[in-house]
Amino acid sequence: DNENWFPINWDTSYPKASNDCDGACQVLEDGYCLCNTAVTQARIFGGVPKSISEAMSKLYVGAPDPRIYDDGIYSSTLDIDTNITVHLKNNKFSSDTIFEFTDNKGFHRFMKNLHEEVE
């Protein structure tokens, strides 16, 4: 069993063998669905989020502390208006940008500027 579970938001119904895998997948003999998938990735923010609340509502992919990378990979700036530290890879906003902040429950977070969707 995997202890690192996380919720998945489905835009359509969840494919199950009992609903013919929603017509999108192959129904296997053992009662499971086998689906072809592809992952698309996109940047969420083109700048600093307006608040920690906005960051929490739109960012779902965690990131490592960027200080683990070699010097010069990430440049860091604290936005004093939001108290969010922005870690830019190659000095540009991208899906590799990491936002660092402490949420309203006191948890210190590193979140990647990334939206991933499985199709």
Side-chain angles (χ1 to χ4, degrees), residues 11-115:
D11 289 337
T12 60
S13 62
Y14 179 78
K16 299 178 191 174
S18 63
N19 69 3
D20 197 31
C21 296
D22 208 27
C25 308
Q26 176 186 354
V27 180
L28 301 177
E29 289 181 17
D30 58 2
Y32 292 99
C33 299
L34 177 63
C35 307
N36 290 323
T37 60
V39 178
T40 59
Q41 298 180 330
R43 177 188 76 185
I44 297 174
F45 294 105
V48 181
K50 293 179 177 129
S51 65
I52 290 174
S53 178
E54 181 185 34
M56 287 296 296
S57 71
K58 294 183 178 178
L59 299 172
Y60 296 100
V61 179
D65 183 335
R67 290 175 275 276
I68 68 166
Y69 296 100
D70 291 336
D71 288 343
I73 301 294
Y74 278 89
S75 58
S76 303
T77 305
L78 173 64
D79 182 83
I80 59 171
D81 294 328
T82 62
N83 207 26
I84 295 173
T85 299
V86 180
H87 302 279
L88 300 175
K89 187 173 184 180
N90 301 320
N91 293 314
K92 65 179 182 179
F93 273 93
S94 70
S95 59
D96 289 319
T97 298
I98 297 172
F99 297 108
E100 176 183 357
F101 53 87
T102 301
D103 69 16
N104 61 352
K105 294 181 180 178
F107 291 107
H108 195 76
R109 301 204 181 256
F110 294 94
M111 303 299 291
K112 200 163 186 182
N113 188 30
L114 177 67
H115 173 76

